[in-house]
Coordinates of all heavy atoms in Angstrom, one line a residue:
M255 N 46.8 267.5 40.1 CA 48.2 268.0 40.2 C 49.0 267.0 39.3 O 48.8 265.9 39.1 CB 48.7 267.9 41.6 CG 50.1 268.4 41.8 SD 50.6 268.6 43.6 CE 49.7 270.1 43.9
H256 N 50.0 267.5 38.5 CA 50.9 266.9 37.7 C 51.7 265.9 38.6 O 52.1 266.2 39.6 CB 51.7 267.7 36.9 CG 51.0 268.6 36.0 ND1 49.6 268.7 35.8 CD2 51.5 269.4 34.9 CE1 49.2 269.5 34.8 NE2 50.4 270.0 34.3
R257 N 52.1 264.7 37.9 CA 52.9 263.8 38.6 C 54.3 264.3 39.1 O 54.7 264.1 40.1 CB 53.1 262.6 37.6 CG 53.9 261.5 38.3 CD 54.2 260.4 37.3 NE 55.0 259.4 37.9 CZ 54.6 258.1 38.3 NH1 53.4 257.8 37.9 NH2 55.4 257.3 38.8
C258 N 54.9 265.3 38.3 CA 56.1 265.7 38.7 C 56.0 266.6 39.9 O 56.8 266.5 40.8 CB 56.7 266.6 37.5 SG 58.3 267.4 38.0
A259 N 54.9 267.5 39.9 CA 54.7 268.3 41.1 C 54.4 267.4 42.4 O 55.0 267.7 43.4 CB 53.6 269.2 40.9
S260 N 53.7 266.3 42.1 CA 53.4 265.4 43.2 C 54.7 264.8 43.7 O 54.9 264.7 45.0 CB 52.3 264.4 42.8 OG 52.1 263.5 43.9
E261 N 55.5 264.4 42.9 CA 56.8 263.7 43.2 C 57.7 264.7 43.9 O 58.4 264.3 44.9 CB 57.4 263.1 42.1 CG 56.8 261.8 41.5 CD 56.7 260.7 42.6 OE1 57.7 260.4 43.3 OE2 55.6 260.1 42.8
C262 N 57.8 265.9 43.5 CA 58.6 267.0 44.1 C 58.1 267.2 45.5 O 58.9 267.3 46.5 CB 58.5 268.2 43.3 SG 59.4 268.1 41.7
L263 N 56.8 267.2 45.7 CA 56.2 267.4 47.1 C 56.5 266.2 48.0 O 57.0 266.4 49.2 CB 54.6 267.6 47.1 CG 54.2 268.9 46.5 CD1 52.7 268.8 46.2 CD2 54.6 270.1 47.4
R264 N 56.5 265.0 47.5 CA 56.8 263.8 48.2 C 58.3 263.9 48.6 O 58.6 263.5 49.8 CB 56.5 262.6 47.4 CG 56.4 261.3 48.3 CD 55.8 260.2 47.4 NE 54.6 260.5 46.8 CZ 53.4 260.4 47.5 NH1 53.3 260.1 48.7 NH2 52.3 260.7 46.9
R265 N 59.2 264.2 47.8 CA 60.6 264.3 48.0 C 60.8 265.4 49.1 O 61.6 265.1 50.0 CB 61.4 264.7 46.8 CG 61.7 263.4 46.0 CD 62.7 263.8 44.9 NE 62.0 263.6 43.7 CZ 61.9 264.5 42.8 NH1 62.4 265.6 42.9 NH2 61.1 264.3 41.8
E266 N 60.1 266.6 49.0 CA 60.2 267.5 50.1 C 59.8 267.0 51.4 O 60.4 267.2 52.4 CB 59.3 268.8 49.7 CG 59.3 269.9 50.7 CD 60.6 270.7 50.9 OE1 61.5 270.5 49.9 OE2 60.8 271.3 51.8
Y267 N 58.7 266.1 51.5 CA 58.3 265.7 52.8 C 59.4 264.7 53.3 O 59.7 264.7 54.5 CB 57.0 264.9 52.5 CG 56.7 264.1 53.8 CD1 56.2 264.7 54.9 CD2 56.9 262.7 53.9 CE1 55.9 264.1 56.1 CE2 56.6 262.0 55.0 CZ 56.1 262.7 56.1 OH 55.9 262.0 57.3
I268 N 59.9 263.8 52.4 CA 61.0 262.9 52.8 C 62.1 263.6 53.5 O 62.6 263.3 54.5 CB 61.4 262.0 51.6 CG1 60.2 261.0 51.4 CG2 62.7 261.3 52.1 CD1 60.4 260.3 50.1
R269 N 62.4 264.8 52.9 CA 63.5 265.7 53.5 C 63.1 266.3 54.8 O 63.9 266.6 55.6 CB 63.9 266.8 52.6 CG 65.2 266.7 51.8 CD 65.7 267.9 51.2 NE 64.8 269.0 51.0 CZ 64.3 269.4 49.8 NH1 64.5 268.7 48.8 NH2 63.5 270.5 49.8
M270 N 61.8 266.4 55.1 CA 61.3 267.0 56.2 C 60.8 266.0 57.3 O 59.9 266.1 58.1 CB 60.2 267.9 55.9 CG 60.7 269.1 55.1 SD 59.3 270.2 54.7 CE 59.0 271.0 56.3
N271 N 61.5 264.8 57.4 CA 61.1 263.8 58.3 C 61.6 264.1 59.8 O 61.5 263.3 60.7 CB 61.6 262.4 57.9 CG 60.8 261.8 56.8 OD1 59.6 262.1 56.8 ND2 61.4 261.1 55.9
G272 N 62.3 265.3 59.9 CA 62.6 265.6 61.3 C 64.2 265.1 61.4 O 64.7 264.7 60.5
P273 N 64.7 265.3 62.6 CA 64.0 265.7 63.8 C 63.4 267.0 63.8 O 64.0 267.9 63.2 CB 65.0 265.4 64.9 CG 66.3 265.6 64.3 CD 66.1 265.1 62.8
Y274 N 62.2 267.2 64.3 CA 61.6 268.5 64.4 C 62.0 269.3 65.7 O 62.0 268.6 66.8 CB 60.1 268.3 64.4 CG 59.6 267.7 63.1 CD1 59.0 266.4 63.2 CD2 59.7 268.3 61.9 CE1 58.6 265.7 62.1 CE2 59.2 267.6 60.8 CZ 58.7 266.4 60.8 OH 58.2 265.8 59.8
E275 N 62.5 270.5 65.6 CA 62.9 271.2 66.7 C 61.7 272.1 67.3 O 61.6 272.5 68.4 CB 64.0 272.1 66.4 CG 65.3 271.4 66.1 CD 65.7 270.6 67.2 OE1 65.6 270.8 68.3 OE2 66.5 269.5 66.8
T276 N 60.7 272.4 66.3 CA 59.5 273.2 66.6 C 58.3 272.7 66.0 O 58.4 271.9 65.1 CB 59.7 274.7 66.1 OG1 59.7 274.6 64.8 CG2 61.1 275.3 66.6
E277 N 57.2 273.0 66.5 CA 55.8 272.6 66.0 C 55.7 273.2 64.6 O 55.2 272.5 63.8 CB 54.7 273.2 66.9 CG 53.5 272.6 66.5 CD 52.2 273.1 67.4 OE1 52.4 274.1 68.2 OE2 51.2 272.4 67.4
L278 N 56.2 274.4 64.3 CA 56.2 274.9 63.1 C 56.8 274.1 62.0 O 56.3 273.9 60.9 CB 56.8 276.3 63.0 CG 56.6 277.1 61.7 CD1 55.2 277.3 61.3 CD2 57.3 278.5 61.7
E279 N 58.0 273.5 62.3 CA 58.6 272.6 61.3 C 57.6 271.4 60.9 O 57.6 271.1 59.8 CB 59.9 272.1 61.9 CG 61.0 273.1 61.9 CD 62.2 272.6 62.6 OE1 62.2 271.6 63.2 OE2 63.3 273.3 62.6
A280 N 57.0 270.8 62.0 CA 56.1 269.7 61.8 C 54.9 270.2 61.0 O 54.4 269.5 60.1 CB 55.7 269.1 63.2
I281 N 54.4 271.4 61.2 CA 53.2 271.9 60.6 C 53.6 272.0 59.1 O 52.8 271.7 58.2 CB 52.8 273.3 61.1 CG1 52.1 273.1 62.4 CG2 51.9 273.9 60.2 CD1 51.9 274.4 63.2
K282 N 54.8 272.5 58.7 CA 55.2 272.6 57.4 C 55.3 271.3 56.7 O 54.9 271.2 55.6 CB 56.6 273.3 57.3 CG 56.5 274.8 57.6 CD 57.9 275.4 57.4 CE 57.9 276.9 57.8 NZ 59.3 277.4 57.7
A283 N 55.7 270.2 57.4 CA 55.8 268.9 56.8 C 54.4 268.4 56.5 O 54.1 267.8 55.5 CB 56.5 267.9 57.7
A284 N 53.4 268.6 57.4 CA 52.0 268.2 57.3 C 51.4 269.0 56.1 O 50.6 268.4 55.4 CB 51.3 268.4 58.6
R285 N 51.7 270.2 56.0 CA 51.1 271.0 54.9 C 51.4 270.5 53.5 O 50.6 270.7 52.5 CB 51.5 272.5 55.0 CG 51.0 273.1 56.2 CD 49.7 273.9 56.0 NE 49.4 274.6 57.2 CZ 48.2 274.4 57.8 NH1 47.3 273.7 57.2 NH2 48.0 275.1 58.8
I286 N 52.6 269.8 53.4 CA 53.0 269.4 52.1 C 52.0 268.3 51.6 O 51.6 268.3 50.4 CB 54.4 268.8 52.2 CG1 55.4 269.9 52.3 CG2 54.7 267.8 50.9 CD1 56.8 269.4 52.6
W287 N 51.4 267.5 52.5 CA 50.4 266.5 52.1 C 49.2 267.2 51.8 O 48.5 266.8 50.9 CB 50.3 265.5 53.3 CG 51.5 264.6 53.3 CD1 52.5 264.8 54.1 CD2 51.8 263.4 52.6 NE1 53.4 263.8 53.9 CE2 53.0 263.0 53.0 CE3 51.0 262.7 51.6 CZ2 53.6 261.8 52.4 CZ3 51.6 261.6 51.1 CH2 52.8 261.2 51.5
E288 N 48.8 268.2 52.6 CA 47.5 268.9 52.3 C 47.4 269.6 51.1 O 46.5 269.8 50.3 CB 47.2 269.8 53.5 CG 46.9 269.2 54.8 CD 46.8 270.2 55.9 OE1 46.3 271.2 55.7 OE2 47.1 269.8 57.0
T289 N 48.6 270.1 50.5 CA 48.7 270.7 49.3 C 48.5 269.9 48.1 O 48.4 270.3 46.9 CB 50.0 271.6 49.1 OG1 51.1 270.6 49.1 CG2 50.2 272.6 50.2
Q290 N 48.4 268.6 48.3 CA 48.1 267.6 47.2 C 46.7 267.4 47.0 O 46.3 266.5 46.3 CB 48.9 266.3 47.5 CG 50.4 266.3 47.5 CD 50.9 264.9 47.7 OE1 50.6 264.1 47.0 NE2 51.7 264.8 48.7
G291 N 45.9 268.3 47.5 CA 44.4 268.2 47.2 C 43.7 267.3 48.2 O 42.6 266.9 48.0
Q292 N 44.5 266.8 49.2 CA 43.8 266.0 50.2 C 43.1 266.7 51.4 O 43.6 267.8 51.7 CB 44.8 264.8 50.8 CG 45.5 264.0 49.8 CD 46.3 262.9 50.3 OE1 46.0 262.4 51.5 NE2 47.5 262.7 49.8
T293 N 42.2 266.1 52.0 CA 41.7 266.8 53.2 C 42.6 266.5 54.3 O 43.6 265.8 54.1 CB 40.3 266.1 53.6 OG1 40.6 264.7 54.0 CG2 39.3 266.1 52.5
M294 N 42.5 267.2 55.4 CA 43.5 267.1 56.5 C 43.4 265.7 57.0 O 44.6 265.1 57.3 CB 43.0 268.1 57.6 CG 44.1 268.2 58.7 SD 43.6 269.3 60.1 CE 43.4 270.8 59.2
L295 N 42.3 265.1 57.1 CA 42.2 263.8 57.6 C 42.9 262.7 56.7 O 43.8 262.0 57.1 CB 40.7 263.3 57.8 CG 40.5 261.8 58.1 CD1 41.3 261.5 59.4 CD2 39.0 261.5 58.2
S296 N 42.5 262.8 55.4 CA 43.2 261.9 54.4 C 44.8 262.2 54.3 O 45.5 261.3 54.1 CB 42.6 261.9 53.1 OG 42.7 263.2 52.4
A297 N 45.2 263.5 54.4 CA 46.5 263.7 54.3 C 47.3 263.1 55.6 O 48.4 262.7 55.4 CB 46.9 265.3 54.3
S298 N 46.7 263.3 56.7 CA 47.4 262.7 57.9 C 47.4 261.2 57.9 O 48.5 260.7 58.2 CB 46.5 263.1 59.2 OG 46.6 264.6 59.4
L299 N 46.4 260.6 57.5 CA 46.3 259.2 57.3 C 47.4 258.6 56.3 O 48.1 257.7 56.6 CB 44.9 258.6 57.0 CG 44.7 257.1 56.9 CD1 45.2 256.5 58.3 CD2 43.3 256.8 56.6
T300 N 47.4 259.4 55.1 CA 48.3 259.0 54.1 C 49.7 259.0 54.6 O 50.6 258.1 54.2 CB 48.2 259.9 52.9 OG1 46.8 259.7 52.3 CG2 49.1 259.5 51.7
M301 N 50.1 260.1 55.3 CA 51.5 260.3 55.7 C 51.8 259.2 56.6 O 53.0 258.6 56.6 CB 51.8 261.6 56.2 CG 51.4 262.0 57.6 SD 51.9 263.7 58.1 CE 50.6 264.7 57.6
L302 N 50.9 258.7 57.6 CA 51.2 257.7 58.5 C 51.3 256.3 57.7 O 52.2 255.5 58.1 CB 50.1 257.6 59.5 CG 50.0 258.8 60.6 CD1 48.8 258.8 61.3 CD2 51.2 258.7 61.5
I303 N 50.4 256.0 56.9 CA 50.4 254.7 56.2 C 51.6 254.6 55.3 O 52.3 253.6 55.2 CB 49.1 254.5 55.5 CG1 47.9 254.3 56.5 CG2 49.2 253.3 54.5 CD1 46.6 254.1 55.9
E304 N 52.0 255.7 54.6 CA 53.1 255.7 53.7 C 54.3 255.5 54.5 O 55.3 254.8 54.1 CB 53.1 256.9 52.8 CG 52.1 256.7 51.7 CD 52.4 257.6 50.5 OE1 53.5 258.1 50.3 OE2 51.5 257.7 49.7
A305 N 54.4 256.1 55.7 CA 55.7 255.9 56.5 C 55.7 254.4 56.9 O 56.9 253.8 56.9 CB 55.6 256.8 57.8
C306 N 54.6 253.8 57.3 CA 54.7 252.4 57.7 C 55.1 251.5 56.5 O 55.9 250.6 56.6 CB 53.3 252.0 58.2 SG 53.0 252.6 59.9
S307 N 54.5 251.9 55.3 CA 54.8 251.1 54.0 C 56.3 251.2 53.7 O 56.9 250.2 53.4 CB 53.9 251.6 53.0 OG 54.2 251.0 51.7
T308 N 56.8 252.4 53.8 CA 58.2 252.6 53.5 C 59.1 251.8 54.4 O 60.1 251.3 53.9 CB 58.5 254.2 53.6 OG1 57.8 254.8 52.6 CG2 60.0 254.4 53.3
A309 N 58.8 251.7 55.7 CA 59.4 250.9 56.6 C 59.2 249.3 56.5 O 59.9 248.6 57.2 CB 59.1 251.3 58.0
G310 N 58.4 249.0 55.5 CA 58.1 247.6 55.2 C 57.3 246.9 56.3 O 57.2 245.7 56.5
L311 N 56.4 247.8 56.9 CA 55.6 247.2 58.1 C 54.3 246.8 57.4 O 53.7 247.3 56.5 CB 55.2 248.2 59.1 CG 56.4 248.9 59.9 CD1 55.9 250.0 60.8 CD2 57.1 247.8 60.6
E312 N 53.9 245.6 57.8 CA 52.6 244.9 57.5 C 51.5 245.5 58.5 O 51.8 245.3 59.7 CB 52.7 243.5 57.5 CG 51.3 242.9 57.0 CD 51.4 241.3 57.0 OE1 52.5 240.8 56.9 OE2 50.3 240.7 57.2
L313 N 50.5 246.0 58.0 CA 49.5 246.6 58.9 C 48.3 245.7 59.0 O 47.8 245.2 57.9 CB 49.0 248.0 58.4 CG 50.1 249.1 58.5 CD1 49.6 250.4 57.8 CD2 50.5 249.3 59.8
G314 N 47.9 245.4 60.1 CA 46.6 244.7 60.3 C 45.5 245.5 60.4 O 45.6 246.7 60.4
A315 N 44.4 245.0 60.5 CA 43.1 245.8 60.5 C 43.1 246.7 61.8 O 42.7 247.8 61.7 CB 41.9 244.9 60.5
Y316 N 43.6 246.2 62.9 CA 43.5 247.1 64.1 C 44.6 248.2 64.1 O 44.3 249.3 64.5 CB 43.7 246.2 65.3 CG 43.4 247.0 66.7 CD1 42.1 247.4 67.0 CD2 44.4 247.3 67.5 CE1 41.9 248.2 68.1 CE2 44.2 248.0 68.7 CZ 42.9 248.5 69.0 OH 42.6 249.2 70.1
D317 N 45.7 247.8 63.5 CA 46.8 248.7 63.3 C 46.3 250.0 62.5 O 46.4 251.1 62.8 CB 48.0 248.2 62.5 CG 48.7 247.1 63.2 OD1 48.7 247.1 64.5 OD2 49.2 246.1 62.6
T318 N 45.6 249.6 61.4 CA 45.0 250.6 60.5 C 43.9 251.5 61.2 O 43.9 252.7 61.1 CB 44.4 250.1 59.2 OG1 45.5 249.3 58.6 CG2 43.9 251.0 58.2
L319 N 43.1 250.9 62.0 CA 42.1 251.5 62.8 C 42.8 252.5 63.7 O 42.3 253.7 63.8 CB 41.2 250.5 63.6 CG 40.2 251.1 64.5 CD1 39.0 251.6 63.5 CD2 39.6 250.0 65.4
I320 N 43.8 252.2 64.4 CA 44.5 253.1 65.3 C 45.1 254.2 64.5 O 45.1 255.4 64.9 CB 45.6 252.3 66.1 CG1 44.9 251.4 67.1 CG2 46.5 253.3 66.9 CD1 43.9 251.9 67.9
L321 N 45.7 254.0 63.4 CA 46.2 255.1 62.5 C 45.1 256.0 62.0 O 45.3 257.2 62.1 CB 47.0 254.5 61.2 CG 48.2 253.7 61.6 CD1 48.9 253.2 60.3 CD2 49.3 254.6 62.4
E322 N 43.9 255.5 61.7 CA 42.8 256.3 61.3 C 42.4 257.1 62.5 O 42.0 258.3 62.4 CB 41.6 255.3 60.8 CG 42.0 254.8 59.5 CD 40.8 253.7 59.2 OE1 40.0 253.3 60.0 OE2 40.9 253.3 58.0
W323 N 42.3 256.5 63.7 CA 42.0 257.2 64.9 C 42.9 258.5 65.1 O 42.5 259.5 65.4 CB 42.0 256.3 66.2 CG 41.8 257.2 67.4 CD1 40.7 257.4 68.0 CD2 42.8 257.4 68.3 NE1 40.9 258.1 69.1 CE2 42.2 258.2 69.4 CE3 44.2 257.4 68.3 CZ2 43.0 258.7 70.4 CZ3 44.9 258.0 69.4 CH2 44.3 258.6 70.3
L324 N 44.3 258.1 65.1 CA 45.2 259.2 65.3 C 45.0 260.3 64.3 O 45.1 261.5 64.7 CB 46.6 258.7 65.2 CG 47.8 259.6 65.4 CD1 47.7 260.3 66.7 CD2 49.1 258.9 65.1
A325 N 44.9 259.9 63.0 CA 44.6 260.9 61.9 C 43.5 261.7 62.2 O 43.4 262.9 61.8 CB 44.7 260.2 60.5
G326 N 42.4 261.1 62.7 CA 41.1 261.8 62.8 C 41.0 262.6 64.1 O 40.1 263.5 64.3
H327 N 41.9 262.2 65.1 CA 41.7 262.9 66.5 C 42.8 263.8 66.9 O 42.9 264.1 68.0 CB 41.3 261.8 67.4 CG 39.9 261.3 67.2 ND1 39.8 260.1 66.6 CD2 38.8 261.6 67.7 CE1 38.5 259.8 66.5 NE2 37.9 260.8 67.2
D328 N 43.7 264.0 66.0 CA 44.9 264.7 66.4 C 45.2 265.7 65.3 O 44.6 265.8 64.3 CB 46.1 263.7 66.6 CG 46.9 264.1 67.8 OD1 46.9 265.3 68.1 OD2 47.5 263.3 68.4
Q329 N 46.2 266.6 65.6 CA 46.6 267.6 64.7 C 47.5 267.0 63.7 O 48.3 266.2 64.1 CB 47.2 268.7 65.5 CG 46.3 269.4 66.5 CD 47.0 270.4 67.5 OE1 48.1 270.5 67.4 NE2 46.1 271.1 68.3
P330 N 47.5 267.5 62.4 CA 48.3 267.0 61.4 C 49.8 267.0 61.7 O 50.5 266.1 61.4 CB 47.9 267.7 60.2 CG 47.0 268.8 60.6 CD 46.6 268.6 62.0
Q331 N 50.2 268.0 62.3 CA 51.7 268.2 62.7 C 52.1 266.9 63.7 O 53.2 266.5 63.5 CB 52.0 269.5 63.3 CG 51.4 269.9 64.5 CD 50.1 270.7 64.4 OE1 49.4 270.6 63.5 NE2 49.8 271.5 65.4
R332 N 51.1 266.5 64.5 CA 51.5 265.3 65.4 C 51.7 264.1 64.5 O 52.6 263.3 64.8 CB 50.5 265.3 66.4 CG 50.7 266.5 67.4 CD 49.8 266.4 68.6 NE 49.9 267.6 69.4 CZ 49.0 267.9 70.3 NH1 48.0 267.2 70.6 NH2 49.3 269.1 71.1
C333 N 50.8 264.0 63.6 CA 50.9 262.9 62.6 C 52.2 262.9 61.9 O 52.8 261.9 61.6 CB 49.7 262.8 61.7 SG 48.2 262.4 62.5
A334 N 52.6 264.1 61.5 CA 53.9 264.3 60.7 C 55.0 263.8 61.6 O 56.0 263.1 61.2 CB 54.1 265.8 60.3
V335 N 55.0 264.1 62.9 CA 56.0 263.7 63.8 C 56.1 262.2 64.0 O 57.1 261.6 63.9 CB 55.8 264.4 65.2 CG1 56.8 263.8 66.2 CG2 56.1 265.9 65.1
V336 N 54.9 261.6 64.2 CA 54.9 260.2 64.3 C 55.4 259.5 63.0 O 56.1 258.5 63.0 CB 53.4 259.6 64.6 CG1 53.4 258.2 64.5 CG2 53.0 260.1 66.0
A337 N 54.9 260.0 61.8 CA 55.4 259.4 60.6 C 56.9 259.7 60.4 O 57.6 258.7 60.0 CB 54.7 260.1 59.4
G338 N 57.5 260.8 60.8 CA 58.9 261.1 60.8 C 59.7 260.1 61.7 O 60.7 259.7 61.3
L339 N 59.0 259.8 62.9 CA 59.8 259.0 63.8 C 59.8 257.5 63.2 O 60.9 256.9 63.3 CB 59.0 258.9 65.1 CG 59.1 260.0 66.0 CD1 58.0 260.0 67.2 CD2 60.5 260.2 66.6
I340 N 58.8 257.0 62.5 CA 58.7 255.7 61.9 C 59.8 255.7 60.8 O 60.6 254.8 60.7 CB 57.3 255.4 61.3 CG1 56.3 255.3 62.5 CG2 57.4 254.2 60.4 CD1 54.9 255.2 62.0
R341 N 59.8 256.7 60.0 CA 60.8 256.8 58.8 C 62.2 256.8 59.3 O 63.1 256.2 58.8 CB 60.6 257.9 57.9 CG 59.3 257.7 57.0 CD 59.1 258.9 56.1 NE 57.9 258.8 55.4 CZ 57.8 258.3 54.2 NH1 58.9 257.9 53.5 NH2 56.7 258.3 53.5
R342 N 62.4 257.6 60.3 CA 63.8 257.8 60.9 C 64.3 256.5 61.6 O 65.5 256.1 61.5 CB 63.9 259.0 61.7 CG 63.7 260.3 61.1 CD 64.1 261.6 61.9 NE 63.8 261.6 63.2 CZ 62.8 262.2 63.8 NH1 61.9 262.7 63.0 NH2 62.6 262.2 65.1
A343 N 63.4 255.9 62.3 CA 63.7 254.6 62.9 C 64.1 253.5 62.0 O 65.0 252.8 62.0 CB 62.5 254.1 63.8
Y344 N 63.3 253.5 60.8 CA 63.5 252.6 59.8 C 65.0 252.9 59.1 O 65.7 251.9 58.9 CB 62.5 252.7 58.7 CG 62.8 251.9 57.4 CD1 62.9 250.4 57.4 CD2 63.0 252.6 56.2 CE1 63.1 249.9 56.2 CE2 63.3 251.9 55.1 CZ 63.4 250.5 55.1 OH 63.6 249.8 53.9
E345 N 65.2 254.1 58.8 CA 66.5 254.5 58.2 C 67.6 254.1 59.1 O 68.7 253.7 58.7 CB 66.5 256.0 57.9 CG 65.6 256.3 56.6 CD 66.0 255.5 55.4 OE1 67.1 255.3 55.1 OE2 65.0 255.2 54.7
A346 N 67.5 254.5 60.5 CA 68.5 254.1 61.4 C 68.8 252.6 61.5 O 69.9 252.2 61.6 CB 68.1 254.7 62.8
G347 N 67.7 251.8 61.4 CA 67.9 250.4 61.4 C 68.6 249.9 60.2 O 69.4 249.0 60.3
K348 N 68.3 250.5 59.0 CA 69.0 250.1 57.8 C 70.4 250.5 57.9 O 71.3 249.7 57.5 CB 68.4 250.8 56.6 CG 67.2 250.2 56.0 CD 66.6 250.8 54.7 CE 67.3 251.9 54.1 NZ 66.7 252.4 53.0
A349 N 70.7 251.6 58.5 CA 72.1 252.0 58.6 C 72.9 251.1 59.6 O 74.1 251.0 59.4 CB 72.2 253.6 59.0
G350 N 72.3 250.7 60.6 CA 73.0 249.9 61.6 C 73.0 248.5 61.3 O 73.8 247.6 62.0
G351 N 72.3 247.9 60.3 CA 72.3 246.5 60.1 C 72.3 246.2 58.7 O 72.7 245.3 58.1

């Protein structure tokens, strides 16, 4: 996929960080990552890790293991919600401090 298209998809995801009112909204956010040619597992893990990275979180080995577990054992829309919560909490913290 071209870099421009990939960046456009990423911006679309950032716009779709919630709050989610329906499962369908979260599914649409998760699908953006899947359309980048990633498997469902790698797309779910990528959205979680990138949300943590954007928030400036340092991940330890066990943190990463839990994110891998969540990405591998849950539905991608639920990972989109968790990633959205992380990003929104980070943005709220920046706005408040």
Side-chain angles (χ1 to χ4, degrees):
M255 180 171 286
H256 294 5
R257 182 181 176 115
C258 179
S260 179
E261 287 302 312
C262 292
L263 288 172
R264 196 169 305 280
R265 274 187 252 124
E266 177 69 15
Y267 171 75
I268 290 169
R269 252 195 348 254
M270 295 182 69
N271 282 330
Y274 301 110
E275 298 297 332
T276 67
E277 185 176 23
L278 183 58
E279 290 175 351
I281 289 170
K282 287 179 181 179
R285 295 269 184 232
I286 290 169
W287 289 93
E288 290 175 35
T289 59
Q290 295 185 55
Q292 298 185 42
T293 65
M294 187 180 304
L295 172 61
S296 66
S298 294
L299 183 57
T300 298
M301 73 176 100
L302 291 167
I303 288 176
E304 286 202 11
C306 291
S307 176
T308 298
L311 298 175
E312 181 179 336
L313 295 176
Y316 191 69
D317 297 324
T318 303
L319 181 67
I320 296 304
L321 293 179
E322 289 171 350
W323 172 83
L324 180 60
H327 291 93
D328 218 329
Q329 299 173 352
Q331 63 268 29
R332 293 184 182 161
C333 292
V335 169
V336 171
L339 288 168
I340 293 166
R341 286 181 186 265
R342 292 193 324 264
Y344 170 68
E345 291 299 325
K348 279 188 357 185

